[in-house]
Amino acid sequence: MSGQSGGEAAEAELRQLVATGGQILYQQGLTDYLGHCSARVPGTDRVVIKPKHSKTVRSPGELGSADMVVIDLDGNLVEGTDAPPAERFIHTEIYRSRPDVQAVVHTHQRAATLLGVMGGDLLPVLHVPAVLTDGGTMPTWPCPLLVTSRELGKDMAASLGAAGLCHLQGHGIVSAAADVRGATVTAIALEQLAEANLTILQTGLKPRVITAAELEELRGTVAAIDGRWAYYVQQLGGAA
Ligand SMILES: [Zn+2]
């Protein structure tokens, strides 16, 4: 790795992961020009994040690693020329409150957002999404405001608590995980499970819910995140 320190190499890899996560979320229809993915650079207060949409920032599906910007935990731009997202405080305040979280995804994905608006349960009715969303565990932050300040971000992060997912009611969702692959794949699984739950609510039929014991057994048999990530990368037309 001549000419590049270990830290720089790690950050370069994170830039690629964040860009790819953004491309996947866009390709899967979970974002449009709004929504963003980020990663904390381990051991630092640096956060790699997709830039705010503007006249100079292309579609999330076309943004590469060089387009990503870096902010600090106060939300200040420390690397790059494009502005960071207005709602960067979603990311920074989760990183402040959750040392275990290294990646955050924020979207306005349709089904999960609607389910949050209605206060509907995210019942674990489909085996893979149920495992990936931890049995449908999902708290709600009852606030539709844009998260454009540290105070709002802190309040939202308090609602997230120790969970991996949170409804931002009347707004969208966040997915927080140990890496970009996990945060991205979990957001996709959430949308699949939310779509199923919306259909259940619409039909009024009583679903067969997967039990806690079955979920426990499934955790040992459902394939790991990496394989799913590779699949979604392939959908982009790139190498896994
Ligand atoms: Zn938002």
Side-chain angles (χ1 to χ4, degrees):
M1 300 297 287
S2 60
Q4 194 177 46
S5 71
E8 288 170 339
E11 191 164 310
E13 187 182 348
L14 284 179
R15 280 178 168 272
Q16 186 60 60
L17 278 170
V18 171
T20 303
Q23 290 169 12
I24 289 171
L25 292 166
Y26 184 76
Q27 200 243 5
Q28 293 295 314
L30 270 59
T31 61
D32 44 29
Y33 67 96
L34 298 171
H36 17 83
C37 179
S38 77
R40 183 198 331 243
V41 180
T44 75
D45 67 351
R46 292 166 68 86
V47 174
V48 176
I49 192 165
K50 172 200 160 299
K52 177 187 175 76
H53 184 74
S54 72
K55 288 178 182 171
T56 58
V57 173
R58 304 185 307 279
S59 154
E62 299 173 19
L63 295 178
S65 59
D67 299 306
M68 300 299 107
V69 299
V70 179
I71 58 174
D72 62 22
L73 289 184
D74 290 325
N76 300 313
L77 184 70
V78 294
E79 199 170 315
T81 50
D82 292 305
E87 293 197 299
R88 56 196 178 277
F89 302 99
I90 291 172
H91 303 257
T92 55
E93 291 307 310
I94 290 176
Y95 292 131
R96 281 184 187 278
S97 66
R98 291 280 299 277
D100 59 311
V101 169
Q102 297 295 334
V104 173
V105 161
H106 167 56
T107 74
H108 300 167
Q109 58 193 67
R110 180 183 173 279
T113 302
L114 274 176
L115 197 64
V117 168
M118 294 189 288
D121 289 330
L122 188 68
L123 298 172
V125 293
L126 300 174
H127 64 173
V128 171
V131 170
L132 293 175
T133 58
D134 197 21
T137 306
M138 192 163 181
T140 296
W141 183 51
C143 175
L145 299 179
L146 288 167
V147 187
T148 54
S149 71
R150 274 199 64 184
E151 291 68 30
L152 284 166
K154 194 172 178 183
D155 198 47
M156 183 278 304
S159 287
L160 171 69
L165 294 164
C166 186
H167 288 295
L168 276 53
Q169 204 166 34
H171 174 179
I173 65 100
V174 293
S175 172
D179 65 25
V180 173
R181 296 176 182 88
T184 303
V185 171
T186 302
I188 296 169
L190 166 63
E191 192 65 359
Q192 293 165 343
L193 196 56
E195 282 172 1
N197 275 274
L198 281 182
T199 302
I200 288 164
L201 287 171
Q202 286 165 342
T203 61
L205 296 173
K206 186 171 165 45
R208 195 287 199 187
V209 177
I210 297 171
T211 67
E214 288 167 337
L215 270 174
E216 189 55 40
E217 196 170 340
L218 280 164
R219 282 193 184 94
T221 55
V222 167
I225 292 287
D226 283 357
R228 300 182 191 286
W229 173 265
Y231 167 76
Y232 292 122
V233 170
Q234 285 169 354
Q235 299 301 298
L236 297 174

